[in-house]
Amino acid sequence: MSQSIIVLDFGGQYAHLIANRIRRCGAYSEIVSNDISPQEIQEKNPAGIIFSGGPSSVFAEDAPDIHSEILKLGIPVLGICYGHQIIAKHLHGKIVGAETQEFGKAEIQVKNENSPILKNISSGSVFWMNHGDEVVQLPENFTCLASSADCEIAMMGDEEKNIYGVQFHPEVTHSEKGMQLLENFVEICGVAKTWTIENFIDIEIEKIQKQCEGKKVFLLVSGGVDSSVCFALLTKALGKDRVFGCMVDHGMMRLHEADEVVKMLASAGFDDLHVEYAADKFLGNLKGIFSPEEKRMSIGNDFLELQAEIAERMNLNPNEWLLGQGTIYPDTIESGGTKHSSKIKTHHNRVERIEKMIEKGLIIEPIVDLYKDEVREVGTALGLPDALISRHPFPGPGLGVRVLCAEKADILENSREREFEIAAKYDGFSGRILPIRSVGVQGDSRSYRHPLVLFPENGEFDIEKMGEIAVEISNNDPEINRVLINLFAETPPEKYEVKISEMTVDRISVLQKADKIVRDSIFGRKDCEHIWQFPVVLAPVFLDEKEAIILRPIESENAMTATAAHLPDEVLLNIISRIENEIPEISSLFYDLTGKPPGTIEWE
Ligand code: XMP
């Protein structure tokens, strides 16, 4: 019996997530390049093939493609988004560039409930869409299996040959019946189910021992889930004496974070952590830097330089040491680290110098193929305490990516006209487009666009409805990728100003205060357990000479997709009143209602 399902990677943000989901169904899955030959596929003897999504348009000159023969091998195929279009292209369906791009939730209407791929999936199921082009005419012998409001052929299939295409993304957790659809495909393939997390740990320990060949590991530790699990895994594989854990306090941590992390790791058995205070270096190098990518490069490079300085100071022989990092898969994919993927943002552990060190074999990253949910499972299996495993994710550059910087106002053309249009369309709201931009992900590519702030006239809002409005606005306006609600005022100000704003100790300390208020308000509460991560952001959007704070509570499972989380009224009111009373440096408080896509979790 064949043991695997292979995923052909067209560079989609979720290509690797598909493999993760297939493993969740118990079947082994691996990623291969889209240009794999039919012979190479036959050598692997897979039970099924999945074509991933991707950022390209099938009409682009250099659009990634497949060998046509692959569709004639007699192996079941599932094409997802771009992969669905690839099937249509090769089997003579028709594809057009869609007039409206569709991002976010879509309900499907099932057209053939007896199809094996639709087992236990009915009309009204919500799936996640993220596309521009669209299949408008079926290939020969295919039938339409499901439609959505904006996409007639949302799903198609040739059931005799077991070739299926879906325009939506079953692999993301926000697709309600996504796992069911993938399980149906696994069943159609008849693959052996042999994959478990324990298998992963055994295989990884062997790999670590082999890669290290007697060397030791200098591991950068942040106190977050990823680096802690990495610490535990490396220690298990190599022994305590061969793993040196170093935490860098770069001056952009949360209030008291460094002390808390040292205590927490000590209680988990890592009692000899080295702590390096380096705020002057990191903040000094960030002077005069405003753009999100340049900030990330500066922080990433400083981590590397500092590691080299410490190693030299401690007389560590570079030939005896590898640099360890708790990189996980979303860090790589968002940094544009696979063949056709688009760069969304450079994670601190993926700057150019690190990439060069990886090529030379100087870096070890034992959990680089995992997602956060899997990392947590590995941590639990290795016996790490719950308090550590269940920590909210926190990015390596810390508040460095949450204190937004700006050199001057970035004003969207025709802002006033757009604001009038929005007010006319959405009764009871007025809007202001902010003169800054933030990073988002749309159609598998990076976007850098403006946020819109809505002001509900009666001060009341329904987060679910607002979330839908947010999706609608960002789908229809090519210059807006986030929608916020104002929590301090019901009527919009005439204008928001932007002043030159750098990364300074004072600005970091304002954000630390707001972040602490938020953490105090949600932790330990049962009704806040659904919140997966809660970035709090400082934005140089001035009103009465004071800046703005943005609340970004989100629900997610693996950071690849997310929705804005609902805050219980009591919690929200407490946060509003404490920020208003305790942080005089702030004049606006916004609540980010944007999903991912079209936003990202962080703002830059
Ligand atoms: P985005 O903002 O891309 O974030 O939706 C996805 C997840 O990754 C975290 N993140 C980072 N983590 N280094 C990290 O260790 C980074 O440079 C970085 N940037 C984003 C983010 O907090 C979220 O959990």
Side-chain angles (χ1 to χ4, degrees):
M1 198 178 201
S2 170
Q3 307 256 335
S4 75
I5 291 184
I6 58 170
V7 180
L8 266 60
D9 181 5
F10 292 95
Q13 291 295 305
Y14 313 133
H16 195 275
L17 188 55
I18 301 168
N20 158 287
R21 300 282 114 179
I22 296 294
R23 293 197 294 263
R24 296 252 140 186
C25 299
Y28 180 67
S29 180
E30 67 173 309
I31 307 265
V32 297
S33 173
N34 65 293
D35 48 23
I36 186 168
S37 69
Q39 292 74 12
E40 285 168 309
I41 291 186
Q42 275 168 324
E43 279 160 26
K44 287 184 178 289
N45 185 29
I49 304 173
I50 297 182
F51 298 164
S52 84
S56 313
S57 160
V58 282
F59 299 114
E61 224 173 78
D62 54 353
D65 210 340
I66 53 161
H67 287 259
S68 251
E69 297 297 306
I70 290 176
L71 288 163
K72 297 181 190 154
L73 292 175
I75 303 172
V77 173
L78 173 66
I80 294 176
C81 197
Y82 183 82
H84 162 77
Q85 293 157 16
I86 283 285
I87 293 174
K89 178 179 154 186
H90 280 270
L91 300 180
H92 314 296
K94 188 173 169 200
I95 308 152
V96 294
E99 274 173 23
T100 41
Q101 300 204 322
E102 198 183 8
F103 306 110
K105 282 183 195 173
E107 269 185 24
I108 61 159
Q109 286 306 313
V110 168
K111 305 282 181 189
N112 176 1
E113 56 200 24
N114 297 322
S115 174
I117 194 85
L118 281 165
K119 195 171 112 188
N120 297 329
I121 300 174
S122 49
S123 288
S125 299
V126 169
F127 284 89
W128 202 265
M129 290 279 192
N130 189 16
H131 68 107
D133 297 344
E134 184 178 332
V135 176
V136 292
Q137 197 181 308
L138 292 164
E140 213 177 302
N141 300 326
F142 275 65
T143 52
C144 175
L145 300 176
S147 304
S148 76
D150 286 324
C151 180
E152 180 59 30
I153 304 177
M155 188 168 178
M156 62 181 188
D158 174 341
E159 279 153 353
E160 217 168 278
K161 296 206 171 102
N162 276 325
I163 299 180
Y164 301 93
V166 291
Q167 182 55 73
F168 47 79
H169 288 274
E171 69 278 22
V172 306
T173 45
H174 286 89
S175 285
E176 278 171 8
K177 291 280 184 173
M179 272 310 270
Q180 178 68 56
L181 192 140
L182 294 175
E183 266 166 29
N184 293 345
F185 183 65
V186 167
E187 210 160 286
I188 289 169
C189 296
V191 65
K193 295 192 177 178
T194 51
W195 178 257
T196 63
I197 270 288
E198 282 73 21
N199 278 350
F200 167 82
I201 294 178
D202 292 342
I203 294 169
E204 205 49 48
I205 284 179
E206 242 177 73
K207 273 208 234 162
I208 293 170
Q209 290 164 342
K210 203 158 156 218
Q211 190 187 343
C212 285
E213 288 176 318
K215 289 184 179 160
K216 299 175 194 168
V217 178
F218 187 124
L219 179 71
L220 290 170
V221 179
S222 69
V225 185
D226 308 339
S227 56
S228 303
V229 169
C230 199
F231 207 174
L233 196 54
L234 285 167
T235 306
K236 187 163 171 135
L238 303 174
K240 225 174 161 177
D241 295 343
R242 286 174 64 195
V243 189
F244 175 69
C246 171
M247 192 189 73
V248 173
D249 181 348
H250 45 39
M252 295 171 287
M253 317 234 353
R254 297 181 140 139
L255 205 62
H256 312 311
E257 173 90 351
D259 296 342
E260 280 169 23
V261 166
V262 171
K263 275 194 211 133
M264 201 178 48
L265 285 176
S267 72
F270 305 109
D271 43 13
D272 48 3
L273 189 69
H274 174 86
V275 181
E276 184 79 13
Y277 294 93
D280 287 351
K281 179 182 180 73
F282 281 80
L283 299 187
N285 286 337
L286 282 168
K287 278 214 172 80
I289 295 189
F290 303 97
S291 95
E293 272 300 288
E294 280 180 52
K295 281 168 71 187
R296 286 172 163 276
M297 297 297 170
S298 171
I299 295 170
N301 285 333
D302 284 350
F303 270 116
L304 268 188
E305 269 177 24
L306 191 67
Q307 184 268 335
E309 279 166 36
I310 301 168
E312 202 179 306
R313 198 190 317 139
M314 293 177 69
N315 274 330
L316 306 182
N317 178 350
N319 298 326
E320 290 172 6
W321 289 80
L322 295 180
L323 176 64
Q325 299 199 116
T327 311
I328 62 171
Y329 194 74
D331 303 346
T332 314
I333 183 74
E334 294 209 331
S335 305
T338 64
K339 193 168 162 204
H340 300 291
S341 65
S342 165
K343 186 193 278 188
I344 311 300
K345 56 183 68 169
T346 310
H347 284 232
H348 73 289
N349 39 22
R350 277 290 170 271
V351 293
E352 210 182 316
R353 279 159 70 178
I354 291 269
E355 300 285 7
K356 289 206 173 118
M357 289 171 74
I358 292 175
E359 277 167 29
K360 291 186 191 149
L362 300 174
I363 303 267
I364 182 160
E365 300 181 311
I367 52 171
V368 72
D369 279 331
L370 301 189
Y371 287 83
K372 193 73 84 186
D373 50 345
E374 291 174 310
V375 177
R376 289 195 162 121
E377 278 185 44
V378 172
T380 305
L382 290 173
L384 289 180
D386 257 4
L388 187 56
I389 300 290
S390 60
R391 291 195 91 201
H392 279 191
F394 189 62
L399 302 181
V401 294
R402 296 185 180 168
V403 172
L404 309 187
C405 297
E407 198 168 13
K408 54 180 177 8
D410 185 346
I411 298 167
L412 176 60
E413 241 176 72
N414 302 332
S415 284
R416 260 312 121 92
E417 287 86 336
R418 287 166 194 257
E419 288 164 3
F420 279 128
E421 268 171 34
I422 285 162
K425 186 162 177 196
Y426 300 102
D427 210 19
F429 292 102
S430 34
R432 281 285 172 273
I433 295 168
L434 294 181
I436 56 168
R437 288 194 276 175
S438 82
V439 177
V441 52
Q442 285 167 279
D444 290 280
S445 301
R446 174 190 172 92
S447 72
Y448 192 48
R449 298 181 180 164
H450 292 269
L452 166 79
V453 184
L454 289 177
F455 296 76
E457 274 158 21
N458 57 6
E460 282 173 21
F461 65 95
D462 166 347
I463 178 151
E464 207 149 301
K465 186 164 159 242
M466 297 298 310
E468 280 162 24
I469 294 180
V471 169
E472 214 173 281
I473 292 175
S474 45
N475 276 350
N476 290 315
D477 192 322
E479 300 300 336
I480 291 175
N481 64 359
R482 279 185 201 263
V483 177
L484 323 175
I485 196 119
N486 190 306
L487 296 172
F488 273 0
E490 288 164 22
T491 44
E494 183 46 36
K495 187 172 169 203
Y496 288 103
E497 310 271 356
V498 169
K499 293 187 186 174
I500 184 159
S501 305
E502 298 189 293
M503 182 71 63
T504 60
V505 172
D506 287 349
R507 295 187 74 221
I508 293 168
S509 126
V510 168
L511 184 56
Q512 281 175 332
K513 277 193 266 176
D515 178 75
K516 174 86 170 62
I517 290 173
V518 166
R519 283 199 294 155
D520 287 350
S521 311
I522 62 166
F523 281 121
R525 287 186 68 119
K526 272 239 153 309
D527 56 3
C528 288
E529 279 176 1
H530 61 294
I531 302 171
W532 190 81
Q533 191 178 11
F534 198 150
V536 182
V537 177
L538 180 70
V541 173
F542 287 77
L543 196 61
D544 305 327
E545 305 289 311
K546 296 173 178 186
E547 298 196 64
I549 288 284
I550 300 152
L551 306 177
R552 173 95 177 112
I554 59 113
E555 287 186 48
S556 181
E557 198 174 306
N558 46 43
M560 296 302 287
T561 52
T563 47
H566 178 92
L567 293 178
D569 288 350
E570 191 194 343
V571 172
L572 185 58
L573 291 174
N574 181 47
I575 293 176
I576 296 175
S577 97
R578 282 195 60 191
I579 290 188
E580 199 163 20
N581 292 323
E582 296 173 34
I583 313 189
E585 298 90 342
I586 290 302
S587 59
S588 305
L589 181 64
F590 304 130
Y591 188 156
D592 187 350
L593 303 165
T594 320
K596 173 182 179 175
T600 49
I601 295 173
E602 307 288 348
W603 269 52
E604 55 176 44

